[in-house]
Amino acid sequence: MTIRRVAIIGLGLLGGSIGLAVKARSLAIATTGWDRDPAVRARAAERGLVETVCATAEDAVAAADLVILCVPVGAMGDAARAIAPGLAPHAIISDVGSSKEAVATALAEALPGACIIPAHPVAGTEQSGPDAGFATLFAGRWCIITPPEGCDPTQLEALSAFWTALGSKVELMDAAHHDLVLAVTSHIPHLIAYTIVGTASDLEDVTQSEVIKYSAGGFRDFTRIAASDPVMWRDVFLSNKGAVLEMLGRFTEDLTAMQRAIRSADGDALFDLFTRTRAIRRQVIEQGQDDERPDFGREHGA
Ligand code: NAP
């Protein structure tokens, strides 16, 4: 199966980046798109995020070989119901949602009998909306595909080839395992960032202006993550509740161990952990998942 026409539903950061990547790589694939917000549709047309911005979801998906839902996880069911009347019988329905079990269930309920192959490109930024997308978002990043049992191998191959053509490295994974892995690599780090930024802003004996003024001490790196889209992240935590709570339990135990080490002046425990974590950072860089320059390569002017 060859994908010649892709419909993108939701024209924000992820949807816009897919459309721009198809264009920038000159893939022989026609792109159509739709977003429920007319202002987003107008901006998407201005930026040329897809070749044709359609007035309805049904128009956008008509004749599409692949439909990718790029809406918040909690809106996947609604978006799937909106496209249902226009779908071609052979179409692959996929998505980019950050949690996978809940999305697979929502899509299967909304589109019984359709070929549904959920996916999650592990690539993003803290920005959202139709101005946030860019063509290189997926280059060198992993896209995790979570095929359901009995998935047609030809359609799975076509979806994998699509993501590879956008520059991604593709990995297949069971949806429940995806949700556990992403809970620890993405969801808990976001929860920690939201919490620490919230804690700092609530402190009464440290003023807000001091928090901002001295933020370069480490706080500002949390503020980047904590600036991520509130709707998207609300939906991620509600849809991946089990895995997040499981990982949060482990994290809380480790935090308590750190508290104990500090209280009992156990410098060896602190040193051992910090040595292990430094090695993890080295591996992230060696595997091309981040910039090796100090402080993420920020300029340090006079
Ligand atoms: P975004 O920039 O906010 O774009 C989402 C767009 O979908 C918005 O324009 C939104 O419109 C629209 N929308 C919401 N409900 C809709 C519906 N029922 N039908 C049609 N359009 C609808 O969000 P994003 O960052 O691209 O995230 C999209 C998906 O990608 C989410 O599932 C997220 O979990 C996943 N993801 C995000 C990242 C990241 O770093 N941001 C990374 C990987 C995966 P309104 O503004 O009117 O709601």
Side-chain angles (χ1 to χ4, degrees):
M1 175 183 183
T2 308
I3 291 169
R4 295 205 170 79
R5 204 177 168 85
V6 174
I8 300 169
I9 305 300
L11 294 168
L13 169 67
L14 269 287
S17 297
I18 294 172
L20 291 174
V22 169
K23 184 159 72 175
R25 289 171 176 265
S26 307
L27 304 180
I29 297 176
T31 53
T32 54
W34 178 75
D35 193 288
R36 68 172 179 184
D37 182 344
V40 172
R41 293 203 295 273
R43 185 64 188 134
E46 267 169 27
R47 282 199 73 204
L49 298 182
V50 287
E51 282 165 3
T52 314
V53 176
C54 299
T56 68
E58 280 182 57
D59 287 350
V61 301
D65 307 307
L66 169 64
V67 179
I68 309 181
L69 302 177
C70 301
V71 301
V73 168
M76 291 289 178
D78 282 349
R81 276 181 287 276
I83 61 169
L87 285 176
H90 73 282
I92 302 170
I93 318 303
S94 191
D95 75 300
V96 293
S98 304
S99 57
K100 294 275 53 94
E101 269 204 302
V103 170
T105 305
L107 296 187
E109 276 172 15
L111 300 169
C115 167
I116 297 163
I117 314 182
H120 176 205
V122 186
T125 75
E126 69 280 16
Q127 303 200 326
S128 52
D131 283 300
F134 55 99
T136 54
L137 179 64
F138 310 109
R141 297 281 165 258
W142 286 100
C143 179
I144 303 174
I145 300 181
T146 59
E149 231 170 273
C151 174
D152 178 334
T154 338
Q155 289 172 313
L156 176 57
E157 178 51 40
L159 182 65
S160 301
F162 175 77
W163 280 105
T164 306
L166 295 194
S168 288
K169 301 181 281 185
V170 169
E171 180 111 335
L172 303 186
M173 209 180 268
D174 166 73
H177 188 67
H178 164 280
D179 287 356
L180 207 59
V181 171
L182 270 291
V184 76
T185 58
S186 172
H187 307 169
I188 297 293
H190 277 79
L191 196 69
I192 293 168
Y194 282 123
T195 310
I196 187 72
V197 173
T199 304
S201 76
D202 288 345
L203 285 179
E204 281 171 6
D205 44 0
V206 177
T207 65
Q208 279 273 359
S209 65
E210 285 171 316
V211 169
I212 310 292
K213 186 171 166 187
Y214 301 117
S215 63
F219 183 72
R220 69 178 178 187
D221 291 339
F222 285 107
T223 64
R224 184 190 70 76
I225 298 178
S228 300
D229 191 74
V231 172
M232 169 187 159
W233 283 97
R234 175 201 65 195
D235 287 3
V236 168
F237 291 116
L238 296 182
S239 66
N240 197 21
K241 192 170 161 181
V244 166
L245 291 178
E246 157 79 23
M247 287 301 163
L248 198 55
R250 292 184 191 215
F251 174 74
T252 309
E253 284 173 23
D254 290 345
L255 199 60
T256 304
M258 282 290 98
Q259 204 175 7
R260 203 179 312 117
I262 294 169
R263 182 169 294 120
S264 61
D266 185 351
D268 289 345
L270 299 176
F271 184 83
D272 287 350
L273 176 68
F274 302 164
T275 305
R276 269 199 294 134
T277 56
R278 189 175 236 196
I280 299 278
R281 172 70 187 161
R282 257 199 311 277
Q283 288 173 37
V284 168
I285 290 165
E286 279 163 15
Q287 291 187 24
Q289 296 301 304
D290 205 356
D291 196 319
E292 69 178 331
R293 290 172 296 163
D295 201 16
F296 309 117
R298 286 181 182 115
E299 297 281 340
H300 287 270

